[in-house]
């Protein structure tokens, strides 16, 4: 929180992190398992938001996965198995 003026559910933290990494927030993915406003903050920043686990179902995330074990990242493409989806 020290780097931004407003914490979740404001998008400031996600925007700041993306900027520091050299990415537009719209080209980032937020994984969220908390109902503390992280999904709202990620969406407001323009990121793709993926909820994780049962707690992820209680967020506004459009996509929710069972856990992170089935996710892979290769050549800039995030892949997940349909069997791991809780909501899509």
């Amino acid at each position: 929180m020290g780097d931004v003026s407003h914490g979740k559910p404001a998008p400031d933290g996600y925007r700041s992190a993306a900027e520091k990494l050299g990415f537009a927030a719209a080209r980032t993915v937020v994984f969220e398992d908390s109902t503390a406003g992280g999904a709202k903050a990620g969406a407001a920043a323009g990121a793709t938001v993926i909820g994780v686990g049962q707690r992820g179902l209680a967020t506004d995330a459009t996509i929710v996965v069972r856990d992170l074990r089935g996710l892979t990242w290769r050549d800039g493409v995030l892949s997940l198995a349909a069997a791991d989806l809780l909501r899509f």
Side-chain angles (χ1 to χ4, degrees):
M1 173 94 177
D3 291 349
V4 295
S5 299
H6 303 95
K8 297 175 186 178
D12 304 18
Y14 289 120
R15 285 182 181 151
S16 175
E19 182 180 307
K20 287 179 181 181
L21 291 170
F23 293 100
R27 296 192 41 92
T28 64
V29 177
V30 170
F31 294 96
E32 188 59 63
D33 71 345
S34 170
T35 58
K40 288 182 183 189
T48 297
V49 179
I50 299 177
V52 180
Q54 292 299 315
R55 292 191 306 186
L57 288 170
T59 71
D60 294 336
T62 304
I63 301 169
V64 180
V65 295
R66 188 172 320 285
D67 55 42
L68 299 177
R69 289 179 282 189
L71 294 158
T72 59
W73 181 267
R74 183 176 175 160
D75 297 327
V77 176
L78 178 66
S79 301
L80 50 106
D84 292 327
L85 289 172
L86 296 178
R87 179 169 64 213
F88 182 72

